[in-house]
Amino acid sequence: MRLEVTLNDHHNQHVIIHSKHDSISICLNHFNYSLNFDREGRLITVFQDGYTYQRSEENHFLVKWKTDKLGAPVTMRRALETQDIDEFLEKTRATVHDVFHALQQQKMRDLIAQRIPVSEAKNVQEWIQRILSSTRKIYEQRSLEFLKIYKPISILPPDQYRSLVIQGTEGCHYNRCTFCDFYKDRKFHVKTPAEFREHIRAIKEYYGQSLRLRRTLFLGDANAIVTPQETLLHFFEILNKEFEITPPGMEKEERTAWKAAHPIHFNGIVSFMDCFSSLQKSVEDFRQLASQNLKRVYIGVETGSDSLLSFLNKAGRTADIRTAIQRVKKADIAVGLIIMVGIGGLKFNAEHIEKTVQLLRALPLSERDLIYFSEFVQTPQMEYTRKALEEKVRSLTPAQTKSQLSLIRQQLKTSFPPIPAKLSVYDVRDFMY
Ligand code: SF4
């Protein structure tokens, strides 16, 4: 449903209100300023004059913009401080208030009545009213509720930022890779089925209608697939019972009708997996999970070099990665592989390129699979930093990192036969949930 109104208080600006099944957007000034909210009236993103503002469930606000550095476009990011958040929310609310005011005028009601059924126009007004009641305090309260249900969501692959995370496990059962500090704040824990059910109940209550925005079910945390098979199958049964998952094999028209009849639905279940502990699972185990709607597993492969894996203190070696991925693929589950770029610095540069290309070429990948290249973002607290200093591993310059990435991509593209998986770049600094 699309509504068009004119804001007199804003120099007769033209406003388009786009009400979709999962969200509402208000666009002003020929789309130079657009605000997006979920079905509960909570802010998701704002685009204004080349700046993108995002709000996370933990109530972090991030602004991103593009700039030019030495002739190349670079993405800049900044977390908003409390005062910036106040100003930003105030401006957002003032704009929405003006739109609401315009909608309430008799003239606008006539306009609405001509274009859309009055009942739907009322829905939009109710929705806008809800948006107006979302102050910073309400967002803060909401983030506290979120953290009662969830351990912080540390990371997701980029195509899963809009998934619904369900933490069957918390943390990483290994937690010793030198370059990873995503789960250092928590102990590994596998929920009992009763805890898992209660977690889902709380999640549904928390999200309400904004669940419509979520596309897949992401079974977290770091490597939930490590859960013993019996408990894991129990988790999958619960997920299939609690959520509507799009049945496979429907024709386009049938699928559209099914989705319309199930406004809150998901395209399947996905999860992270590691390639060392998952060796306990057989092809048959993965087939059981596939039959319960496991569609894809995301694997932090990092590199095809065994000596670099050892330097990173990552468990398992490339032979394990090959075995694990072969089993997953035999069960008809897609994979999303994450390769780190720049990791291991100059010392491992050549070997990382050569062995990673070699490993990826040897895997039974298909068009459904994804390969992500994620630039290594080093922090002083990481064990990696201490070890790199001790072993005199010099970091790559930005130009060397870029060259490493393009060499790997180039060699994969010119492989014969060519690698069918989709290749993309992944920046962990963009992650927000
Ligand atoms: S990289 Fe994966 S396996 Fe290693 S500590 Fe992090 S989450 Fe755990």
Side-chain angles (χ1 to χ4, degrees):
M1 183 181 75
R2 206 176 139 115
L3 258 178
E4 298 191 30
V5 296
T6 303
L7 281 191
N8 295 329
D9 297 354
H10 284 244
H11 313 288
N12 287 334
Q13 269 192 54
H14 194 61
V15 181
I16 296 172
I17 303 171
H18 198 181
S19 151
K20 292 169 272 185
H21 103 281
D22 56 359
S23 58
I24 185 170
S25 57
I26 300 174
C27 306
L28 296 95
N29 205 8
H30 305 288
F31 296 92
N32 276 345
Y33 186 26
S34 89
L35 309 104
N36 304 285
F37 301 87
D38 67 22
R39 292 284 298 205
E40 296 283 338
R42 294 160 192 148
L43 184 77
I44 314 168
T45 47
V46 171
F47 301 99
Q48 187 178 16
D49 301 324
Y51 290 81
T52 304
Y53 297 81
Q54 286 169 280
R55 182 189 66 85
S56 75
E57 294 296 337
E58 290 172 43
N59 212 29
H60 297 136
F61 287 75
L62 183 76
V63 55
K64 286 195 296 184
W65 67 98
K66 285 236 186 296
T67 188
D68 213 62
K69 235 182 194 174
L70 304 173
V74 182
T75 303
M76 306 294 285
R77 302 167 184 83
R78 182 169 73 83
L80 296 192
E81 303 289 339
T82 314
Q83 198 187 335
D84 301 329
I85 296 173
D86 278 339
E87 283 169 17
F88 165 71
L89 283 179
E90 188 48 48
K91 185 177 176 202
T92 305
R93 278 162 23 88
T95 308
V96 178
H97 178 269
D98 291 347
V99 173
F100 183 57
H101 184 69
L103 277 167
Q104 280 191 314
Q105 289 172 354
Q106 184 59 43
K107 195 175 138 222
M108 293 307 147
R109 275 212 291 273
D110 294 344
L111 181 69
I112 292 161
Q114 282 167 24
R115 287 165 185 257
I116 57 161
V118 176
S119 59
E120 285 193 37
K122 274 188 187 152
N123 282 345
V124 171
Q125 293 205 25
E126 277 168 24
W127 206 349
I128 292 183
Q129 244 169 340
R130 233 181 293 157
I131 291 172
L132 285 173
S133 66
S134 296
T135 58
R136 179 162 67 87
K137 264 215 160 108
I138 293 214
Y139 283 132
E140 276 171 5
Q141 255 170 18
R142 188 171 159 76
S143 73
L144 293 177
E145 280 166 37
F146 180 83
L147 291 171
K148 273 188 205 155
I149 303 169
Y150 283 106
K151 290 278 183 240
I153 315 288
S154 305
I155 190 73
L156 290 174
D159 59 313
Q160 295 299 329
Y161 288 179
R162 280 280 163 87
S163 62
L164 178 69
V165 174
I166 318 269
Q167 289 172 324
T169 61
E170 292 172 353
C172 167
H173 74 110
Y174 178 67
N175 222 4
R176 294 200 294 277
C177 301
T178 55
F179 61 94
C180 168
D181 51 13
F182 287 134
Y183 305 99
K184 295 284 187 234
D185 61 342
R186 69 202 80 167
K187 268 197 178 148
F188 182 65
H189 168 63
V190 180
K191 287 196 168 92
T192 62
E195 285 174 324
F196 191 61
R197 271 198 210 89
E198 172 50 27
H199 180 58
I200 291 174
R201 188 207 57 73
I203 287 173
K204 284 184 176 177
E205 189 179 303
Y206 171 83
Y207 282 103
Q209 285 301 310
S210 64
L211 275 180
R212 291 173 183 228
L213 261 184
R214 307 282 158 184
R215 305 280 183 257
T216 41
L217 298 170
F218 197 103
L219 184 67
D221 257 348
N223 29 25
I225 298 294
V226 73
T227 306
Q229 187 71 358
E230 204 184 320
T231 312
L232 191 57
L233 281 173
H234 210 139
F235 285 170
F236 273 74
E237 276 163 29
I238 296 170
L239 289 175
N240 279 282
K241 210 165 143 201
E242 291 288 336
F243 297 97
E244 298 286 355
I245 298 180
T246 317
M250 284 190 291
E251 291 299 327
K252 200 176 166 199
E253 272 179 24
E254 197 188 350
R255 193 166 49 241
T256 310
W258 185 90
K259 287 185 174 178
H262 302 85
I264 298 178
H265 62 260
F266 299 89
N267 296 327
I269 304 168
V270 299
S271 186
F272 277 130
M273 184 185 106
D274 68 57
C275 285
F276 42 98
S277 50
S278 61
L279 287 177
Q280 294 158 6
K281 305 237 181 258
S282 63
V283 176
E284 192 43 43
D285 289 334
F286 286 116
R287 284 199 178 117
Q288 286 177 331
L289 298 172
S291 73
Q292 295 278 341
N293 283 317
L294 179 62
K295 302 289 185 201
R296 185 190 301 280
V297 288
Y298 293 85
I299 300 168
V301 167
E302 331 303 358
T303 176
S305 153
D306 278 342
S307 48
L308 180 51
L309 284 171
S310 162
F311 176 73
L312 302 175
N313 200 30
K314 181 126 192 169
R317 293 293 172 260
T318 44
D320 304 319
I321 297 173
R322 270 201 299 270
T323 307
I325 293 175
Q326 275 159 4
R327 288 183 192 170
V328 168
K329 294 293 299 173
K330 272 190 186 157
D332 202 25
I333 297 169
V335 293
L337 309 178
I338 298 138
I339 303 294
M340 301 284 275
V341 181
I343 202 156
L346 267 180
K347 181 173 172 181
F348 292 94
N349 188 21
E351 186 175 334
H352 179 40
I353 297 170
E354 185 197 334
K355 301 284 183 181
T356 300
V357 171
Q358 207 175 313
L359 171 68
L360 293 172
R361 275 181 178 161
L363 296 174
L365 302 177
S366 68
E367 291 80 12
R368 288 166 60 212
D369 300 317
L370 307 167
I371 300 175
Y372 283 118
F373 297 99
S374 171
E375 190 181 321
F376 176 43
V377 180
Q378 194 173 343
T379 66
Q381 298 78 28
M382 279 175 182
E383 173 62 11
Y384 177 96
T385 306
R386 193 199 57 75
K387 211 170 162 194
L389 206 68
E390 194 180 281
E391 297 192 21
K392 300 190 174 47
V393 173
R394 278 177 39 214
S395 301
L396 296 187
T397 62
Q400 285 167 331
T401 307
K402 213 171 150 191
S403 149
Q404 183 183 88
L405 172 63
S406 59
L407 278 169
I408 296 176
R409 289 186 74 145
Q410 204 182 338
Q411 290 183 35
L412 289 176
K413 275 189 195 155
T414 53
S415 291
F416 191 81
I419 295 254
K422 191 175 162 224
L423 313 183
S424 1
V425 176
Y426 165 12
D427 194 321
V428 289
R429 289 164 296 196
D430 284 336
F431 172 66
M432 275 202 123
Y433 186 75

